[in-house]
């Protein structure tokens, strides 16, 4: 019945025209379809695809009329392309909502996305490339009763593939967020150059607890699990002229779950950022400490779905594929680290800057485990089992998880030639990607990227990447790599590219090539791209959240369109 | 002014919600030792060879239609001798004792919990192997015959062989041999309970009050509920032996048991820990 109403509504809109002026409102939409054909390839480990053809499609339709907005998103995974969870198989309206603004209130019913602060205790979001969708289904109210005061309240459950979430015991999420922009709230601060805002939030997840048992020293025990898991956070942002400083501290109550192995210890997270920026110079530093902050709306869930919170990554997110070969995944059980970014533009018409100036970027990040000590002698054996460890907040753990130092130089040599050069040295602890027991990976990575404008409407881009490492640990760390790419663009509408990733230094002596050729074009708001080639097995991470990408060999096509 | 009031209201609600929305279990109460397992054993006297069905009759002494449901259960027992196990769970407000029934209380803590867990709102009602169908667990007694017949046809994947004996002191010792016939890919829980029959008491029956009503298969207290049997996949051919004891409550004189042990039997049923469905059930008289 619900689907029928949605379909009839869409048909009414569609039959009356498109884009604008429908029932006094406006309809907009977008469409994306990814298609894949892959065949078995024993050299790269690509599996035969029984269905031969796989596709993921997403269609969004929004109707806006003044303060009212409603929308649906239709998704079809027929069947899911490689690397996406098989539980996505199927099609249907994954998302539907209606929202309106009246007076100082904004009310949304149905599906919605929301984030409190940095997301340390609550973030509902979608990341299509990771196959991650934590959309809430319920009610959200945002109130702005006074200038500078924002209050948010949410209640609902999270999406879990196509599961009927209201028929499951998945946790019910309730929460609120308060944000005070002091300079807007208090007239005497209105003209101050120092801008301050403070905020606080809380989240509570209710999940019924089924009996759980463990055996200790041949005695059976029932574990009494908390059913209401609470978390709170406090934050502030301060900016003064070119300086800014922000901090958020979060604390989570007892939350024994499958990820933290039934640890009853309270969770903690601290996220600090500071920055300075002026023309030609930008400096930012970030620091983070996480202790037992896995937070799911189902305590037995271990995958990416049903994450209630988000723990931001403080390592550089790379776009070049060899730079991103050993990506760092946030260790939700405990990590502490820091990152520094410096961007400097050497002025034009100087010896180093040349005629067009030179952009220099420096980035350093280092992530460690947190300090973990066994509980003191006064604690019982049972408490050691359930609370597991003590941790000194300011003490760094012994295990290095990840370290990277990288430099990037952007240089324009002429109006037609623009280049980027990068160097990165990465130290990667395999334990951070679940490969416990392997030695560290140390990698030197070089990138040279140049774009040459051939004519007013066409350009040629060449890219060369080199990764050097002695790590050869089977199928996930496979020695040296070289990648070359050549891409031709015509008028911003057509492009063609060829590339090859060459794994020339792997342990088995296979000189494996991952070649790829692609062509694409854009017509107005529609873009079509088709590529043929091999994709290596690896891990894709976005913001510290990762998914495995299996090897494939075949055709990949994408259509995107909007109206 | 209204907006300021709203702001204060929002802050107060937010603060209150935060305070009340977090459970904190005292460190010393996180793990509770489970009393019930024993190293003592008794001979196995009942072996299992076919698929059986557990019918839970949710009932209460003040429920006027419950005797009709009990009669339906008795008819089904005649129809399925040896393969149907009936358990009368006295729960809900209809089972609350009063002076009218001489304050006889057949309720159990877990019976009340099941009523809540399985979404049962009144009596008579029932559960047939605790199968969730159409999004609900309860089965009205008019449908019991159909559902029992249907669930009797389910695949037989587990044998529960049993022996039970009163130790003459204060314990009923139960030995169980769980034989897995086909691979089971979910965790299982085991329940061991005592049922007592031939208890004479007060029961409303339609418009009448029957003061000599015979209560049968009454679920008694001190049962062992949802004990873990397996935690993951179990291969075919696996045998899991368990020995439990159930404490027998005594009357105030501390000499005679509260239950008439001659009329008691032990029922053991194994459930799917994920779906709550009963996989197999068996019963045994006390030795």
């Amino acid at each position: 019945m619900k689907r029928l109403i949605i379909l009839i509504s869409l048909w009414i809109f569609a039959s009356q025209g498109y884009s604008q002026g429908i029932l006094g409102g406006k309809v907009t939409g977008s469409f994306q379809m990814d298609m894949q054909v892959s065949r078995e390839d024993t050299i790269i480990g690509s599996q035969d695809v029984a269905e031969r053809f796989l596709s993921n499609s997403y269609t969004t339709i929004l109707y806006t009329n003044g303060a009212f907005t409603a929308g649906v998103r239709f998704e079809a995974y027929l069947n899911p392309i490689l690397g996406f969870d098989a539980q996505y198989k199927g099609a249907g309206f994954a998302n539907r909502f209606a929202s309106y603004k009246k007076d100082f209130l904004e009310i949304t019913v149905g599906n919605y996305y929301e984030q409190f602060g940095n997301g340390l205790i609550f973030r509902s979001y979608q990341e299509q490339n990771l196959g991650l969708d934590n959309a809430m289904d319920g009610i959200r109210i945002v109130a702005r009763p006074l200038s500078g005061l924002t209050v948010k309240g949410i209640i609902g459950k999270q999406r879990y593939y196509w599961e009927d979430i209201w028929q499951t015991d998945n946790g019910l999420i309730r929460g609120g967020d308060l944000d005070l922009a002091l300079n807007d709230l208090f007239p005497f601060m209105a003209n101050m150059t120092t801008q301050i805002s403070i905020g606080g939030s809380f989240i509570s997840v209710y999940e019924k607890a089924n009996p759980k048992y463990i055996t200790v020293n041949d005695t059976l025990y029932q574990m009494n699990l908390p059913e209401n898991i609470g978390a709170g956070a406090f934050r502030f942002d301060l900016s003064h002229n070119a300086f800014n400083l922000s901090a958020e501290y979060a604390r989570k109550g007892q939350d024994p779950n499958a990820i933290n192995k039934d640890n009853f210890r309270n969770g903690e997270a601290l996220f600090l950022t500071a920055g300075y920026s002026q023309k030609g110079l930008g400096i930012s530093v970030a620091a983070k400490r996480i202790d037992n902050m896995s937070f799911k709306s189902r305590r037995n869930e271990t995958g990416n779905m049903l994450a209630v919170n988000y723990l931001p990554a403080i390592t550089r997110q790379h776009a070049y594929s060899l730079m991103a070969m050993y990506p760092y995944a946030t260790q939700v059980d405990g990590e502490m680290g820091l990152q520094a970014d410096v961007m400097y533009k050497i002025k034009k018409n100087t010896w180093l800057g040349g005629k067009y100036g030179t952009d220099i970027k420096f980035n350093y990040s280092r992530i460690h485990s947190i300090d973990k000590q066994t509980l003191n002698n006064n604690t019982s054996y049972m408490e050691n089992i359930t609370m597991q460890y003590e941790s000194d907040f300011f003490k760094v753990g012994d295990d290095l998880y990840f370290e990277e130092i990288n430099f990037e130089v952007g240089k324009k040599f002429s109006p037609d030639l623009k280049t980027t050069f990068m160097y990165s040295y990465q130290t990667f602890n395999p334990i951070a990607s679940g490969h416990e027991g392997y030695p560290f990976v140390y990698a030197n990575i070089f990138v040279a990227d140049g774009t040459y404008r051939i004519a007013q409407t066409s350009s040629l881009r060449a890219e060369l990447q080199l990764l050097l490492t002695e790590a050869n640990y089977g199928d996930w760390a496979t020695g040296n790599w070289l990648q070359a790419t050549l891409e031709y663009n015509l008028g911003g509408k057509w492009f063609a590219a060829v590339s090859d990733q060459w794994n020339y230094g792997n342990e088995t002596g296979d000189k494996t090539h991952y070649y790829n050729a692609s062509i694409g074009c854009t017509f107005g708001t529609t873009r079509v791209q088709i590529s043929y080639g091999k994709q290596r097995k690896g891990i894709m991470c976005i913001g510290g959240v990762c998914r495995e990408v299996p090897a494939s060999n075949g055709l990949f096509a994408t259509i995107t369109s909007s109206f | 002014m209204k907006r300021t009031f709203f702001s204060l209201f929002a802050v107060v609600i937010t603060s209150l919600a935060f305070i009340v929305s977090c459970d904190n279990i005292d460190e010393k109460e996180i793990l509770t030792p489970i009393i019930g397992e024993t190293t003592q054993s008794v001979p196995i006297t009942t072996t299992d060879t076919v698929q059986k069905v557990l019918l839970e009759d949710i009932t209460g002494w003040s429920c006027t239609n419950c005797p009709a449901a009990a009669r339906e259960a008795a008819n089904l027992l005649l129809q399925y001798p040896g393969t149907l196990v009936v358990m009368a769970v006295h729960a809900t407000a209809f089972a609350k004792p009063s002076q009218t029934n001489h304050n006889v209380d057949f309720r159990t803590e877990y019976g009340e919990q099941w009523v809540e867990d399985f979404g049962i709102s009144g009596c008579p009602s029932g559960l047939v192997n605790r199968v969730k169908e159409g999004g609900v667990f309860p089965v009205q007694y008019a449908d019991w015959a159909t559902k029992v017949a249907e669930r009797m046809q389910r695949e037989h994947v587990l044998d529960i062989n049993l022996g039970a004996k009163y130790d003459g002191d204060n314990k009923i010792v139960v030995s169980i041999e769980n034989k897995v016939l086909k691979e089971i890919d979910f965790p299982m829980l085991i329940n061991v309970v005592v049922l007592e029959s031939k208890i004479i008491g007060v029961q409303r029956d339609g418009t009448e009050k029957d003061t000599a009503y015979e209560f049968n298969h009454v679920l008694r207290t001190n049962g062992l509920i949802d004990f873990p049997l397996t935690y993951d996949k179990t291969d075919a051919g696996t045998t899991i032996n368990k020995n439990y004891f159930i404490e027998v409550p005594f009357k105030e004189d501390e000499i005679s048991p509260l239950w008439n042990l001659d009329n008691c039997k032990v029922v053991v049923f194994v459930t799917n820990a994920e779906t709550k469905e009963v996989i197999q059930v068996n019963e045994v008289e006390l030795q």
Side-chain angles (χ1 to χ4, degrees):
Chain A
M1 186 62 193
K2 195 168 61 183
R3 290 184 179 184
L4 187 67
I5 292 167
I6 293 169
L7 286 171
I8 290 170
S9 308
L10 291 176
W11 178 77
I12 291 169
F13 290 143
S15 65
Q16 295 199 26
Y18 57 88
S19 194
Q20 289 194 358
I22 294 164
L23 299 176
K26 183 179 175 184
V27 177
T28 55
S30 65
F31 172 77
Q32 179 180 334
M33 186 172 188
D34 299 327
M35 293 157 278
Q36 186 176 40
V37 176
S38 182
R39 60 188 170 86
E40 187 178 5
D41 185 330
T42 52
I43 295 172
I44 65 169
S46 163
Q47 304 287 319
D48 188 36
V49 176
E51 305 94 322
R52 308 290 177 212
F53 177 84
L54 304 169
S55 70
N56 291 3
S57 307
Y58 314 90
T59 307
T60 303
I61 296 173
L62 288 176
Y63 173 73
T64 310
N65 190 342
F68 176 79
T69 307
V72 292
R73 187 172 72 238
F74 182 84
E75 294 180 6
Y77 302 87
L78 303 168
N79 286 339
I81 61 175
L82 294 174
F84 279 73
D85 198 302
Q87 292 179 82
Y88 269 120
K89 190 166 84 176
F93 286 94
N95 195 302
R96 73 282 181 271
F97 78 97
S99 173
Y100 76 91
K101 293 177 185 172
K102 178 76 175 165
D103 302 325
F104 54 89
L105 285 180
E106 179 187 341
I107 294 171
T108 305
V109 296
N111 298 108
Y112 58 87
Y113 297 102
E114 182 56 85
Q115 175 171 331
F116 293 167
N118 291 297
L120 296 181
I121 64 164
F122 180 67
R123 185 189 187 195
S124 171
Y125 72 114
Q126 185 201 21
E127 183 51 69
Q128 218 161 276
N129 290 322
L130 290 177
L132 186 158
D133 186 6
N134 289 336
M136 291 284 288
D137 190 7
I139 297 167
R140 179 183 69 147
I141 300 173
V142 180
R144 296 180 182 86
L146 300 169
S147 175
L149 171 63
T150 305
V151 183
K152 294 177 185 174
I154 58 114
I155 188 164
K157 283 185 163 190
Q158 290 177 307
R159 178 185 182 186
Y160 191 74
Y161 302 105
W162 294 108
E163 196 174 88
D164 183 354
I165 54 172
W166 299 106
Q167 292 297 324
T168 69
D169 288 333
N170 293 357
L172 178 66
I173 302 175
R174 301 75 50 97
D177 182 76
L178 184 74
D179 194 79
L180 300 168
L182 301 184
N183 301 74
D184 296 332
L185 198 61
F186 301 114
F188 71 90
M189 293 179 72
N191 297 320
M192 290 170 72
T193 51
T194 303
Q195 302 282 310
I196 304 171
S197 69
I198 58 172
S201 48
F202 81 91
I203 280 287
S204 170
V205 177
Y206 170 75
E207 184 193 0
K208 187 175 169 54
N210 290 317
K212 188 176 176 88
Y213 301 89
I214 63 166
T215 303
V216 183
N217 293 341
D218 293 332
T219 304
L220 186 67
Y221 289 87
Q222 179 171 334
M223 190 175 276
N224 296 312
L225 299 169
E227 294 192 322
N228 290 286
I229 315 296
F234 174 76
R235 62 181 183 269
F236 78 86
D237 292 281
L238 184 149
S239 67
H240 180 79
N241 296 329
F243 292 94
N244 66 75
L245 174 69
S246 72
E248 182 166 10
Y249 173 75
R251 195 169 173 85
K252 180 169 67 86
Q254 290 177 338
D255 179 22
N257 57 52
I259 293 175
N260 69 16
K261 298 177 181 66
D262 294 326
N263 190 348
F264 278 73
R265 180 183 162 77
N266 289 333
E268 276 183 308
L270 177 67
F271 187 58
L272 297 167
T273 58
Y276 173 80
S277 66
Q278 65 168 56
K279 192 180 177 186
L281 175 66
I283 300 171
S284 72
V285 290
K288 182 174 74 165
R289 184 184 189 278
I290 293 170
D291 180 3
N292 190 24
M293 279 300 283
S294 62
F295 195 12
K296 300 266 186 187
S297 59
R298 183 156 67 193
R299 58 175 70 83
N300 289 331
E301 179 67 20
T302 53
N304 279 342
M305 298 293 270
L306 299 178
V308 176
N309 64 343
Y310 170 74
L311 303 164
I314 56 167
T315 54
R316 181 167 176 177
Q317 307 292 298
H318 289 293
Y320 291 104
S321 54
L322 296 191
M323 288 270 178
M325 185 164 271
Y326 298 105
Y328 182 68
T330 300
Q331 301 298 296
V332 294
D333 278 350
E335 65 171 28
M336 59 196 299
L338 56 86
Q339 177 179 232
D341 258 315
V342 179
M343 286 162 279
Y344 182 67
K345 187 176 179 70
I346 302 174
K347 287 180 182 172
K348 294 176 185 175
N349 302 318
T350 58
W351 183 69
L352 281 173
K355 190 177 176 184
Y356 301 94
T358 301
D359 293 314
I360 295 175
K361 291 180 186 171
F362 164 77
N363 171 271
Y364 176 77
S365 58
R366 187 179 175 99
I367 315 289
H368 269 257
S369 61
I370 57 168
D371 165 61
K372 286 185 180 178
Q373 300 154 21
T374 50
L375 297 170
N376 63 49
N377 294 333
N378 296 328
T379 52
S380 69
Y381 181 66
M382 288 302 162
E383 286 172 61
N384 272 291
I385 287 173
T386 55
M387 309 304 281
Q388 300 188 5
Y389 60 86
E390 280 184 328
S391 181
D392 185 335
F393 191 90
F394 295 102
K395 196 172 173 185
V396 179
D398 294 334
D399 296 327
L400 171 68
Y401 286 153
F402 184 82
E403 184 179 29
E404 181 182 13
I405 182 163
N406 69 65
F407 297 95
E408 180 179 339
V409 178
K411 177 77 182 161
K412 193 173 177 182
F413 287 97
S414 75
D416 298 325
L417 180 62
K418 196 168 71 177
T419 57
T420 302
F421 300 96
M422 279 181 77
Y423 167 72
S424 170
Y425 181 73
Q426 296 176 6
T427 304
F428 182 82
N429 186 341
I431 204 170
S433 63
H435 295 100
E436 206 166 345
Y438 288 95
F440 277 49
V441 174
Y442 301 97
N444 286 285
I445 308 158
F446 304 87
V447 170
D449 185 331
T451 304
Y452 181 69
R453 193 168 65 175
I454 300 167
Q456 195 62 35
T457 57
S458 64
S459 64
L460 190 66
R461 190 176 78 87
E463 174 193 306
L464 204 61
Q465 300 182 45
L466 176 67
L467 183 149
L468 300 172
T469 179
E470 291 179 359
N472 258 304
Y473 308 141
D475 63 347
W476 68 273
T478 51
N480 299 336
W481 289 76
L482 178 66
Q483 178 176 346
T485 304
L486 201 60
E487 185 181 308
Y488 177 70
N489 278 281
L490 180 63
K493 290 189 173 179
W494 287 87
F495 89 93
V498 287
S499 72
D500 184 25
Q501 273 187 3
W502 180 24
N503 184 197
Y504 70 91
N506 62 44
E507 192 179 37
T508 55
D510 288 331
K511 305 294 184 264
T512 318
H513 286 270
Y514 293 79
Y515 57 80
N516 195 290
S518 57
I519 186 165
C521 59
T522 305
F523 304 100
T525 59
T526 299
R527 180 181 167 87
V528 178
Q529 183 178 333
I530 186 164
S531 61
Y532 182 82
K534 298 182 180 184
Q535 163 76 46
R536 69 175 167 83
K537 177 185 175 183
I539 294 174
M540 174 195 281
C541 293
I542 299 173
V545 182
C546 306
R547 80 169 168 100
E548 276 194 37
V549 181
S552 63
N553 180 359
L555 207 64
F556 197 93
T558 299
I559 303 171
T560 57
S561 178
S562 62
F563 65 93
Chain B
M1 186 62 195
K2 278 182 187 173
R3 291 187 172 204
T4 306
F5 173 74
F6 179 87
S7 308
L8 287 170
F9 176 77
V11 170
V12 170
I13 290 292
T14 304
S15 310
L16 277 176
F18 180 56
I19 291 163
V20 301
S21 59
C22 181
D23 293 345
N24 191 60
I25 296 168
D26 188 87
E27 288 172 26
K28 290 180 173 52
E29 291 174 0
I30 290 173
L31 295 177
T32 312
I34 300 297
I35 309 296
E37 283 207 64
T38 176
T39 52
Q40 280 182 273
S41 65
V42 293
I44 300 291
T45 54
T46 301
T47 51
D48 200 3
T49 51
V50 292
Q51 181 61 18
K52 296 179 181 178
V53 169
L54 175 67
L55 169 61
E56 289 167 83
D57 173 12
I58 312 299
T59 187
W61 72 269
S62 66
C63 157
T64 54
N65 293 319
C66 285
R71 286 189 282 274
E72 173 66 6
N75 286 336
L76 289 169
L77 275 175
L78 292 173
Q79 202 178 327
Y80 297 101
T83 55
L84 178 68
V85 175
V86 173
M87 182 163 80
V89 181
H90 288 252
T92 78
F94 292 102
K96 197 175 175 185
S98 79
Q99 284 186 338
T100 312
N101 82 330
H102 312 301
N103 288 314
V104 173
D105 192 354
F106 292 144
R107 293 176 303 167
T108 58
E109 197 179 309
Y110 35 89
E112 295 292 341
Q113 186 64 47
W114 292 338
V115 162
E116 192 183 319
D117 289 350
F118 295 108
I120 294 163
S121 52
C123 296
S125 187
L127 297 167
V128 182
N129 268 8
R130 300 184 173 183
V131 175
K132 194 175 192 178
E133 204 169 75
V136 294
F137 286 101
V139 179
Q140 295 307 310
Y141 78 92
D143 298 325
W144 287 355
T146 314
K147 297 299 174 192
V148 166
E150 182 189 306
R151 282 152 206 182
M152 208 63 90
Q153 302 307 315
R154 297 231 168 166
E155 193 178 19
H156 181 207
V157 295
L158 180 74
D159 274 343
I160 302 174
N161 300 328
L162 289 176
K165 189 176 183 179
Y166 180 56
D167 70 354
D169 190 4
N170 66 342
K171 288 186 185 112
I172 296 171
V173 178
V174 184
S175 289
I176 308 166
E177 204 175 68
N178 299 282
K179 288 190 169 179
V180 179
L181 306 177
K182 291 196 172 175
E183 182 188 291
I184 294 175
D185 61 357
F186 47 78
M188 291 185 285
L189 301 172
I190 191 165
N191 299 265
V192 184
V193 294
V194 170
L195 308 189
E196 186 179 350
S197 292
K198 297 179 183 171
I199 306 172
I200 304 301
V202 176
Q203 171 72 50
R204 291 201 186 278
D205 188 354
T207 55
E208 305 295 317
K209 187 175 84 172
D210 187 346
T211 55
Y213 185 83
E214 184 177 292
F215 292 95
N216 290 311
H217 328 295
V218 176
L219 175 69
R220 286 307 204 168
T221 57
N222 295 6
L224 310 177
I225 306 303
D226 286 344
F227 274 41
L229 184 63
T230 61
Y231 296 95
D232 202 351
K233 194 183 82 169
T234 314
D235 295 328
T238 307
T239 299
I240 306 161
N241 293 306
K242 292 280 183 183
N243 297 300
Y244 298 105
F245 68 86
I246 289 178
E247 283 189 21
V248 176
F250 277 66
K251 292 178 181 170
E252 284 178 5
D253 61 9
E254 294 182 359
I255 298 169
S256 22
L258 196 62
W259 308 334
N260 183 343
L261 295 171
D262 292 336
N263 298 331
C264 286
K265 62 183 174 184
V266 170
V267 167
V268 174
F269 59 99
V270 172
T271 63
N272 178 331
E274 291 166 354
T275 64
K276 300 176 183 174
E277 187 176 329
V278 175
I279 308 305
Q280 179 64 312
V281 58
N282 204 358
E283 60 187 353
V284 65
E285 302 292 335
L286 292 185
Q287 291 171 30

